[in-house]
Amino acid sequence: MPKKLLIAEDDNFLVKMYKMNIEKDDLDVEIVNDGSSAIASIEKSKPDILLLDLLMPKVDGFAVLEHCKEKKYKFPIIVMSNLSQEVDMQKCKDLGATDYFVKSDMDLEELASKVQKYL
Amino acid sequence: MFSITKINVKLTAGFCLAAIIPTFLVMVISLKQIENSLTEANFQRISSITTLKKEKIELFFEKLANDITIIQDYTIIKEYLPILETYRDNPSDSKYIEAKSALDLQLSTWSKTRGEIADFILVSTDGTILYATNDWHAGEHIGKPLPDPEGLAFLEGKKQIYLTDVFHSEFTSNGFGMLVTAPIVNANLQNIGVIALEIDMTPIYKMIADHTSLGDTGETLIGRNEGDHALFLNPLRHDQKAGLTKKAVYANSASLPIREATQWKAGSSFTMDYRSVPVLATWTPLQLPSKNLIWGLVTKIDTAEVIAPLVAIQRTIINLTIGFLVVILLLSYFFARSISMPIANLRGAMQEIASGSFQVKIAVKGSDEIADLGNMFNMMVQRLQSANKNIEESTKELEDIVQETTKQNTNLEDSKNATLNILEDLKNEADNTKKFQQAVEGSTNPIAITSPQLELLYVNPAWELATGYKASEVIGKIPDFLVNDKMESEFFNKASEWVQHGDSYHSDDFIFKRKDGTTYNVDFTMYPIMGEEAPVFLVNIHHNITRRKREEVAKSDFVSIASHQLRTPLTTMRWTLEMFLKGKAGSITDKQKELMNDAYQCSLHMTETISSMLMLSKIEAEKLRPQPAEVNLQTLFEEVKDSQKAAHIEKKQEIHIQCFEEPVAYADPALLREVIMNLLSNAIKYTPNGGSISVTAKNQADDSVLIEVSDTGYGIPPRQQDQVFTKFFRADNIVNLPESGTGLGLHLAYNLVNLLQGKISFLSKENTGTTFSISLPIPPTL
């Protein structure tokens, strides 16, 4: 069974990048554009890994993290945001994020290999 | 005098005894009654909780048994279970898939609507699991036997509806689970398998652990009979780890309630619980649909908590009785004295007459027989006296009176003058007070004056306007209604304690709540007006600083969001260019590649600029507060070097790291990293290919730490050396190099080192190299 990768990202340009670089045969990639759709998708079927943006419409990434923490889900959650402040990173760690990447500081290739590591 | 005291004491003691004995009796009787009604009420209360929870638990299991009876007849199961068994070794067969999805559709939906059903399992005739609704569970268990520790779930479930005992399960929210099993029979009455529901005990345990009406110590617990002891099935209020681990040995007298309950008896009593604490307990056995489950339920509450009100009442009664006795004692004493005193006076007067003096008169009070005796005695003495009076005495008295009158006239004049003076003073004083009052009343700052115990004595109109409370509503009250709950304790403890010794208290962290419930941030000051030693009044002044606070937050949010919004499009540009450069977007010419690489470098440069500006704006807004900790410099340097790997390898530069032994500094790790990162990145940029760079840490004689970053680079021209740390500075000799720079790195490093309370300086020679030195402050002695 292919593994499910859920990407929650509201910027369509970035979504396109992810699709072009992460999509593979053995990976079932699902993309949602806001936090409430992310929660709905998680509840429908648990992903094997979640790539999560923080600033999103309706429900933000912090709320998604809170939801997963409350439900004690164990799948890895990689936060990918352009919020670069220590306080935001600490907050995500406290809410159970597995890793935190500042998008603008990362090469795309580097990112793809990091995601691969958690699969 | 001796005999009078005796009469007095006798009478007083008599009255006291007459009052004490009934008081004492009434006290003892009423206390006993209160105790009886208290324990009675508590027994009734916990007994009704016991009954209620027993019914709920029994209903829960009855419902499960009913559910599984209905499920036994599901045709979908009868139809598809044999298919699953037939094709169990070939799950990719279309028939298997069809069967599984048909079951999923009905059973998953059903079990998901029921919070207490952790999983819905179908078991084959050989006892191995064929199907489970929970995917996670399915992955673990398909092909294996049911996970019940006794191993009876399948064997018994083949015959009839069977409930296992509670066991530890990793598939339930609280770690406690049960299995309910039942046979599935086809149209020919052949057994084709077993249904197993895995029960999540969370909802039922939650109901059991509900301590409503059970005070601070009471609880409900359940246990099961295990021969010579009972095993507690749920986590206990005073021992959260007791579920399925703690035993109550029947031979132990403290196990009485759970022993009786698990031996089919109900009852209630004063007894001991598992902590050997005296408790009131009621207990009852549970009637469950599977005969193997011998469970009992106990509800109990600490006796100490139950009789706590009694102790309080007792104390009040004792206090009242003592007060009452003092009053009785005083009354009896005065009453006794009203009898004994006249007798004593009479005796004294008679003694005087006996010695020849007639100047005797007894004070007579009241109109009783003793008073009559006194009056008659006085009359007798008066007659004796008048016979002996002479005129000279009367004349002398008259002279005295005249003299006295003259004297009184002089005194009258003096006191008139004195009164006028006092009136004058009072008028002045009143004028001053009035001025002061006008100043306070007219002030636009909210001012309140309180007693040292914080009771409001005065509030000015500005205070009324700010808080929405009228003076008449609040005078005499403690203004804790102004603070939010969480602030309350801080407010009282800090502010009022602080000012007891004459210091004033100031804080801008309070949030006040108006009468209408809205809140505002205040800058709050409390000044004590001191008496001899302690304050007499406290003057409290506050300003509304909501706007200022809001602006502070808005400013810091704005910078952080703006930085985020700039980075997001940059990310797309960077990644797009990266795809071109790595050939992932089709082939491009070398010229195009070169230009795209330039654009790529620029995007990196811009990201760096945004980071530096964000950090600078935080420093300028004084938002960065260093949090010093022990930092291992060797590790820090290695990490920074590693992050710059691509750049220095490309330029074929050597980077040497050298530290003193156990190189530990005391500074904010993130800020120090930023400083070293900026210095090293500069050194790499402004040192030609093949150059060498060193990062060293030395321990100074005074225990301070000296960090140096040296390069063999272009150096800084002497005429520009005084501008090195200014914002956007770029040296003349490097502006034409291909290296891009923000001009912010050194400015940022300078400001960060200042924040870390260290010093930064440098030595540089053009075309030879530059050394930046940072000295970090001496760590505090721990």
Short mmCIF file of all heavy atoms in Angstrom, two decimals, chain B residues 408-456:
data_model
loop_
_atom_site.label_atom_id
_atom_site.label_comp_id
_atom_site.label_asym_id
_atom_site.label_seq_id
_atom_site.Cartn_x
_atom_site.Cartn_y
_atom_site.Cartn_z
N GLN B 408 -13.81 80.76 89.52
CA GLN B 408 -14.44 80.18 88.32
C GLN B 408 -14.62 81.21 87.22
O GLN B 408 -14.45 80.92 86.04
CB GLN B 408 -15.80 79.58 88.68
CG GLN B 408 -15.67 78.14 89.14
CD GLN B 408 -16.99 77.57 89.62
OE1 GLN B 408 -18.03 78.21 89.51
NE2 GLN B 408 -16.93 76.38 90.19
N ASN B 409 -14.92 82.48 87.60
CA ASN B 409 -15.09 83.54 86.60
C ASN B 409 -13.81 83.76 85.80
O ASN B 409 -13.83 83.91 84.58
CB ASN B 409 -15.49 84.86 87.28
CG ASN B 409 -16.98 84.89 87.53
OD1 ASN B 409 -17.73 84.14 86.90
ND2 ASN B 409 -17.42 85.73 88.45
N THR B 410 -12.65 83.81 86.51
CA THR B 410 -11.36 83.99 85.82
C THR B 410 -11.12 82.85 84.84
O THR B 410 -10.73 83.05 83.68
CB THR B 410 -10.20 83.99 86.84
OG1 THR B 410 -10.69 84.49 88.06
CG2 THR B 410 -9.02 84.78 86.34
N ASN B 411 -11.38 81.64 85.31
CA ASN B 411 -11.17 80.46 84.44
C ASN B 411 -12.01 80.53 83.17
O ASN B 411 -11.56 80.18 82.08
CB ASN B 411 -11.55 79.17 85.17
CG ASN B 411 -10.50 78.81 86.20
OD1 ASN B 411 -9.38 79.32 86.14
ND2 ASN B 411 -10.85 77.96 87.14
N LEU B 412 -13.24 81.06 83.35
CA LEU B 412 -14.16 81.12 82.24
C LEU B 412 -13.59 82.00 81.11
O LEU B 412 -13.62 81.65 79.92
CB LEU B 412 -15.48 81.71 82.72
CG LEU B 412 -16.69 81.37 81.86
CD1 LEU B 412 -16.93 79.87 81.90
CD2 LEU B 412 -17.91 82.12 82.36
N GLU B 413 -12.98 83.16 81.50
CA GLU B 413 -12.38 84.08 80.52
C GLU B 413 -11.26 83.36 79.75
O GLU B 413 -11.18 83.42 78.53
CB GLU B 413 -11.84 85.31 81.28
CG GLU B 413 -11.38 86.45 80.37
CD GLU B 413 -12.52 87.04 79.56
OE1 GLU B 413 -13.72 86.91 79.97
OE2 GLU B 413 -12.24 87.61 78.50
N ASP B 414 -10.38 82.67 80.53
CA ASP B 414 -9.25 81.95 79.90
C ASP B 414 -9.74 80.95 78.87
O ASP B 414 -9.25 80.89 77.74
CB ASP B 414 -8.43 81.20 80.95
CG ASP B 414 -7.58 82.16 81.75
OD1 ASP B 414 -7.52 83.34 81.34
OD2 ASP B 414 -6.99 81.72 82.76
N SER B 415 -10.74 80.16 79.25
CA SER B 415 -11.14 79.09 78.34
C SER B 415 -11.83 79.67 77.11
O SER B 415 -11.75 79.11 76.02
CB SER B 415 -12.02 78.05 79.02
OG SER B 415 -12.89 78.65 79.89
N LYS B 416 -12.46 80.87 77.26
CA LYS B 416 -13.08 81.49 76.10
C LYS B 416 -12.00 81.82 75.05
O LYS B 416 -12.14 81.51 73.86
CB LYS B 416 -13.81 82.76 76.54
CG LYS B 416 -14.65 83.37 75.43
CD LYS B 416 -15.33 84.63 75.93
CE LYS B 416 -15.60 85.59 74.80
NZ LYS B 416 -15.95 86.93 75.33
N ASN B 417 -10.89 82.43 75.54
CA ASN B 417 -9.80 82.78 74.62
C ASN B 417 -9.24 81.52 73.93
O ASN B 417 -9.00 81.51 72.71
CB ASN B 417 -8.66 83.48 75.37
CG ASN B 417 -9.06 84.89 75.73
OD1 ASN B 417 -9.93 85.47 75.06
ND2 ASN B 417 -8.48 85.43 76.78
N ALA B 418 -9.01 80.52 74.76
CA ALA B 418 -8.44 79.27 74.21
C ALA B 418 -9.35 78.71 73.11
O ALA B 418 -8.89 78.30 72.05
CB ALA B 418 -8.27 78.25 75.32
N THR B 419 -10.65 78.73 73.35
CA THR B 419 -11.60 78.18 72.38
C THR B 419 -11.51 78.95 71.06
O THR B 419 -11.49 78.38 69.98
CB THR B 419 -13.04 78.29 72.92
OG1 THR B 419 -13.04 77.77 74.21
CG2 THR B 419 -14.00 77.52 72.03
N LEU B 420 -11.41 80.31 71.17
CA LEU B 420 -11.30 81.13 69.95
C LEU B 420 -10.07 80.73 69.14
O LEU B 420 -10.12 80.60 67.92
CB LEU B 420 -11.23 82.62 70.32
CG LEU B 420 -12.57 83.23 70.70
CD1 LEU B 420 -12.39 84.69 71.15
CD2 LEU B 420 -13.53 83.18 69.50
N ASN B 421 -8.93 80.52 69.86
CA ASN B 421 -7.70 80.11 69.18
C ASN B 421 -7.88 78.78 68.44
O ASN B 421 -7.48 78.63 67.28
CB ASN B 421 -6.55 79.96 70.18
CG ASN B 421 -6.04 81.32 70.62
OD1 ASN B 421 -6.26 82.31 69.91
ND2 ASN B 421 -5.40 81.37 71.78
N ILE B 422 -8.50 77.87 69.16
CA ILE B 422 -8.69 76.53 68.55
C ILE B 422 -9.54 76.64 67.29
O ILE B 422 -9.24 76.05 66.25
CB ILE B 422 -9.34 75.57 69.57
CG1 ILE B 422 -8.33 75.24 70.66
CG2 ILE B 422 -9.82 74.29 68.90
CD1 ILE B 422 -8.91 74.59 71.87
N LEU B 423 -10.61 77.49 67.39
CA LEU B 423 -11.49 77.65 66.24
C LEU B 423 -10.72 78.19 65.03
O LEU B 423 -10.89 77.73 63.90
CB LEU B 423 -12.65 78.60 66.57
CG LEU B 423 -13.77 77.95 67.37
CD1 LEU B 423 -14.78 78.99 67.80
CD2 LEU B 423 -14.44 76.87 66.52
N GLU B 424 -9.81 79.16 65.32
CA GLU B 424 -8.98 79.74 64.26
C GLU B 424 -8.15 78.65 63.58
O GLU B 424 -8.12 78.50 62.35
CB GLU B 424 -8.07 80.81 64.88
CG GLU B 424 -7.18 81.53 63.89
CD GLU B 424 -7.95 82.55 63.06
OE1 GLU B 424 -9.15 82.82 63.37
OE2 GLU B 424 -7.38 83.05 62.09
N ASP B 425 -7.47 77.84 64.45
CA ASP B 425 -6.63 76.73 63.92
C ASP B 425 -7.45 75.79 63.06
O ASP B 425 -7.04 75.39 61.97
CB ASP B 425 -6.02 75.92 65.08
CG ASP B 425 -4.91 76.71 65.74
OD1 ASP B 425 -4.55 77.77 65.19
OD2 ASP B 425 -4.41 76.26 66.79
N LEU B 426 -8.63 75.46 63.60
CA LEU B 426 -9.48 74.50 62.89
C LEU B 426 -9.84 75.01 61.50
O LEU B 426 -9.86 74.28 60.53
CB LEU B 426 -10.77 74.25 63.67
CG LEU B 426 -10.69 73.18 64.74
CD1 LEU B 426 -12.00 73.13 65.51
CD2 LEU B 426 -10.42 71.82 64.09
N LYS B 427 -10.10 76.36 61.43
CA LYS B 427 -10.49 76.94 60.16
C LYS B 427 -9.34 76.80 59.14
O LYS B 427 -9.55 76.36 58.01
CB LYS B 427 -10.85 78.41 60.37
CG LYS B 427 -11.50 79.03 59.15
CD LYS B 427 -12.06 80.39 59.51
CE LYS B 427 -12.57 81.11 58.27
NZ LYS B 427 -11.48 81.47 57.37
N ASN B 428 -8.11 77.12 59.62
CA ASN B 428 -6.94 76.99 58.73
C ASN B 428 -6.80 75.55 58.24
O ASN B 428 -6.59 75.29 57.06
CB ASN B 428 -5.66 77.39 59.45
CG ASN B 428 -5.63 78.89 59.65
OD1 ASN B 428 -6.31 79.62 58.93
ND2 ASN B 428 -4.86 79.35 60.63
N GLU B 429 -6.90 74.66 59.21
CA GLU B 429 -6.74 73.23 58.90
C GLU B 429 -7.77 72.81 57.85
O GLU B 429 -7.47 72.15 56.88
CB GLU B 429 -6.94 72.43 60.19
CG GLU B 429 -6.61 70.96 60.09
CD GLU B 429 -5.13 70.74 59.89
OE1 GLU B 429 -4.30 71.63 60.25
OE2 GLU B 429 -4.78 69.67 59.36
N ALA B 430 -9.01 73.27 58.07
CA ALA B 430 -10.10 72.91 57.16
C ALA B 430 -9.80 73.44 55.76
O ALA B 430 -10.03 72.76 54.76
CB ALA B 430 -11.41 73.46 57.66
N ASP B 431 -9.25 74.68 55.70
CA ASP B 431 -8.90 75.24 54.40
C ASP B 431 -7.90 74.37 53.66
O ASP B 431 -8.06 74.05 52.49
CB ASP B 431 -8.31 76.65 54.57
CG ASP B 431 -9.42 77.66 54.81
OD1 ASP B 431 -10.59 77.26 54.64
OD2 ASP B 431 -9.10 78.81 55.17
N ASN B 432 -6.85 73.93 54.41
CA ASN B 432 -5.82 73.08 53.80
C ASN B 432 -6.42 71.79 53.28
O ASN B 432 -6.15 71.36 52.17
CB ASN B 432 -4.72 72.75 54.82
CG ASN B 432 -3.81 73.94 55.02
OD1 ASN B 432 -3.71 74.79 54.13
ND2 ASN B 432 -3.17 74.01 56.18
N THR B 433 -7.20 71.16 54.14
CA THR B 433 -7.79 69.89 53.78
C THR B 433 -8.63 70.05 52.52
O THR B 433 -8.60 69.25 51.62
CB THR B 433 -8.68 69.37 54.92
OG1 THR B 433 -7.94 69.48 56.11
CG2 THR B 433 -9.11 67.95 54.68
N LYS B 434 -9.36 71.19 52.47
CA LYS B 434 -10.25 71.42 51.35
C LYS B 434 -9.43 71.54 50.06
O LYS B 434 -9.78 70.96 49.03
CB LYS B 434 -11.05 72.69 51.60
CG LYS B 434 -12.34 72.71 50.82
CD LYS B 434 -13.20 73.88 51.27
CE LYS B 434 -14.40 74.01 50.36
NZ LYS B 434 -15.10 75.28 50.63
N LYS B 435 -8.30 72.29 50.15
CA LYS B 435 -7.44 72.45 48.97
C LYS B 435 -6.95 71.10 48.46
O LYS B 435 -7.01 70.78 47.29
CB LYS B 435 -6.22 73.32 49.30
CG LYS B 435 -6.51 74.80 49.25
CD LYS B 435 -5.28 75.59 49.63
CE LYS B 435 -5.67 76.96 50.19
NZ LYS B 435 -4.68 77.49 51.12
N PHE B 436 -6.46 70.31 49.44
CA PHE B 436 -5.95 68.98 49.10
C PHE B 436 -7.04 68.15 48.43
O PHE B 436 -6.84 67.55 47.38
CB PHE B 436 -5.46 68.29 50.38
CG PHE B 436 -5.11 66.85 50.18
CD1 PHE B 436 -3.97 66.49 49.48
CD2 PHE B 436 -5.95 65.85 50.66
CE1 PHE B 436 -3.67 65.17 49.28
CE2 PHE B 436 -5.64 64.53 50.46
CZ PHE B 436 -4.49 64.19 49.77
N GLN B 437 -8.23 68.21 49.04
CA GLN B 437 -9.33 67.41 48.51
C GLN B 437 -9.68 67.84 47.10
O GLN B 437 -9.90 67.01 46.21
CB GLN B 437 -10.54 67.57 49.43
CG GLN B 437 -11.61 66.52 49.13
CD GLN B 437 -12.76 66.63 50.09
OE1 GLN B 437 -12.66 67.33 51.09
NE2 GLN B 437 -13.84 65.96 49.79
N GLN B 438 -9.68 69.20 46.88
CA GLN B 438 -10.00 69.69 45.54
C GLN B 438 -8.98 69.17 44.52
O GLN B 438 -9.34 68.78 43.42
CB GLN B 438 -9.99 71.22 45.53
CG GLN B 438 -11.31 71.79 46.00
CD GLN B 438 -11.23 73.28 46.28
OE1 GLN B 438 -10.13 73.84 46.36
NE2 GLN B 438 -12.37 73.91 46.45
N ALA B 439 -7.70 69.15 44.94
CA ALA B 439 -6.64 68.68 44.03
C ALA B 439 -6.88 67.23 43.65
O ALA B 439 -6.80 66.85 42.48
CB ALA B 439 -5.28 68.85 44.70
N VAL B 440 -7.19 66.40 44.64
CA VAL B 440 -7.38 64.97 44.37
C VAL B 440 -8.64 64.75 43.54
O VAL B 440 -8.65 64.01 42.57
CB VAL B 440 -7.46 64.17 45.69
CG1 VAL B 440 -7.75 62.72 45.40
CG2 VAL B 440 -6.15 64.32 46.45
N GLU B 441 -9.73 65.51 43.93
CA GLU B 441 -10.99 65.31 43.21
C GLU B 441 -10.86 65.73 41.74
O GLU B 441 -11.43 65.14 40.86
CB GLU B 441 -12.10 66.16 43.85
CG GLU B 441 -12.40 65.74 45.27
CD GLU B 441 -13.84 65.33 45.45
OE1 GLU B 441 -14.70 65.98 44.88
OE2 GLU B 441 -14.07 64.35 46.17
N GLY B 442 -10.07 66.79 41.52
CA GLY B 442 -9.95 67.33 40.17
C GLY B 442 -8.98 66.55 39.31
O GLY B 442 -8.92 66.74 38.11
N SER B 443 -8.17 65.65 39.93
CA SER B 443 -7.15 64.95 39.16
C SER B 443 -7.78 64.08 38.07
O SER B 443 -8.81 63.45 38.29
CB SER B 443 -6.33 64.07 40.10
OG SER B 443 -5.55 63.19 39.33
N THR B 444 -7.14 64.05 36.90
CA THR B 444 -7.67 63.20 35.83
C THR B 444 -7.17 61.77 35.98
O THR B 444 -7.62 60.88 35.29
CB THR B 444 -7.23 63.72 34.45
OG1 THR B 444 -5.83 63.91 34.50
CG2 THR B 444 -7.94 65.00 34.11
N ASN B 445 -6.20 61.54 36.89
CA ASN B 445 -5.76 60.17 37.15
C ASN B 445 -6.68 59.52 38.16
O ASN B 445 -7.04 60.13 39.16
CB ASN B 445 -4.36 60.17 37.75
CG ASN B 445 -3.32 60.40 36.69
OD1 ASN B 445 -3.52 60.03 35.53
ND2 ASN B 445 -2.23 61.03 37.07
N PRO B 446 -7.04 58.27 37.92
CA PRO B 446 -7.85 57.58 38.91
C PRO B 446 -7.04 57.42 40.21
O PRO B 446 -5.92 56.92 40.18
CB PRO B 446 -8.12 56.22 38.27
CG PRO B 446 -7.90 56.45 36.82
CD PRO B 446 -6.84 57.48 36.73
N ILE B 447 -7.58 57.90 41.33
CA ILE B 447 -6.88 57.79 42.62
C ILE B 447 -7.82 57.12 43.61
O ILE B 447 -9.00 57.45 43.68
CB ILE B 447 -6.47 59.17 43.15
CG1 ILE B 447 -5.52 59.86 42.15
CG2 ILE B 447 -5.82 59.06 44.53
CD1 ILE B 447 -5.19 61.28 42.50
N ALA B 448 -7.28 56.17 44.36
CA ALA B 448 -8.06 55.55 45.42
C ALA B 448 -7.21 55.56 46.68
O ALA B 448 -5.99 55.42 46.60
CB ALA B 448 -8.44 54.12 45.04
N ILE B 449 -7.84 55.78 47.82
CA ILE B 449 -7.11 55.71 49.09
C ILE B 449 -7.70 54.56 49.88
O ILE B 449 -8.92 54.42 49.98
CB ILE B 449 -7.23 57.04 49.86
CG1 ILE B 449 -6.61 58.15 49.01
CG2 ILE B 449 -6.52 56.95 51.20
CD1 ILE B 449 -6.77 59.53 49.58
N THR B 450 -6.79 53.70 50.37
CA THR B 450 -7.29 52.54 51.11
C THR B 450 -6.63 52.50 52.48
O THR B 450 -5.63 53.17 52.72
CB THR B 450 -6.96 51.21 50.40
OG1 THR B 450 -5.54 51.03 50.47
CG2 THR B 450 -7.41 51.21 48.97
N SER B 451 -7.21 51.68 53.34
CA SER B 451 -6.58 51.40 54.62
C SER B 451 -5.40 50.46 54.35
O SER B 451 -5.30 49.92 53.25
CB SER B 451 -7.58 50.72 55.53
OG SER B 451 -7.84 49.43 55.04
N PRO B 452 -4.49 50.24 55.33
CA PRO B 452 -3.38 49.30 55.09
C PRO B 452 -3.89 47.91 54.75
O PRO B 452 -3.20 47.13 54.14
CB PRO B 452 -2.61 49.30 56.40
CG PRO B 452 -3.02 50.55 57.09
CD PRO B 452 -4.40 50.87 56.66
N GLN B 453 -5.14 47.59 55.16
CA GLN B 453 -5.69 46.27 54.83
C GLN B 453 -6.39 46.30 53.48
O GLN B 453 -7.13 45.38 53.13
CB GLN B 453 -6.69 45.82 55.90
CG GLN B 453 -6.05 45.46 57.22
CD GLN B 453 -5.58 46.69 57.99
OE1 GLN B 453 -6.26 47.72 58.00
NE2 GLN B 453 -4.42 46.61 58.61
N LEU B 454 -6.19 47.41 52.74
CA LEU B 454 -6.70 47.56 51.38
C LEU B 454 -8.20 47.84 51.30
O LEU B 454 -8.77 47.79 50.22
CB LEU B 454 -6.37 46.33 50.52
CG LEU B 454 -4.93 46.23 50.09
CD1 LEU B 454 -4.68 44.87 49.47
CD2 LEU B 454 -4.58 47.30 49.07
N GLU B 455 -8.86 48.18 52.43
CA GLU B 455 -10.27 48.55 52.30
C GLU B 455 -10.33 49.97 51.74
O GLU B 455 -9.61 50.85 52.20
CB GLU B 455 -10.97 48.55 53.67
CG GLU B 455 -11.03 47.18 54.30
CD GLU B 455 -10.86 47.24 55.79
OE1 GLU B 455 -10.37 48.27 56.32
OE2 GLU B 455 -11.20 46.25 56.43
N LEU B 456 -11.21 50.17 50.74
CA LEU B 456 -11.29 51.49 50.10
C LEU B 456 -11.89 52.50 51.07
O LEU B 456 -12.94 52.26 51.68
CB LEU B 456 -12.18 51.38 48.86
CG LEU B 456 -11.50 50.74 47.65
CD1 LEU B 456 -12.54 50.40 46.61
CD2 LEU B 456 -10.45 51.66 47.09
#
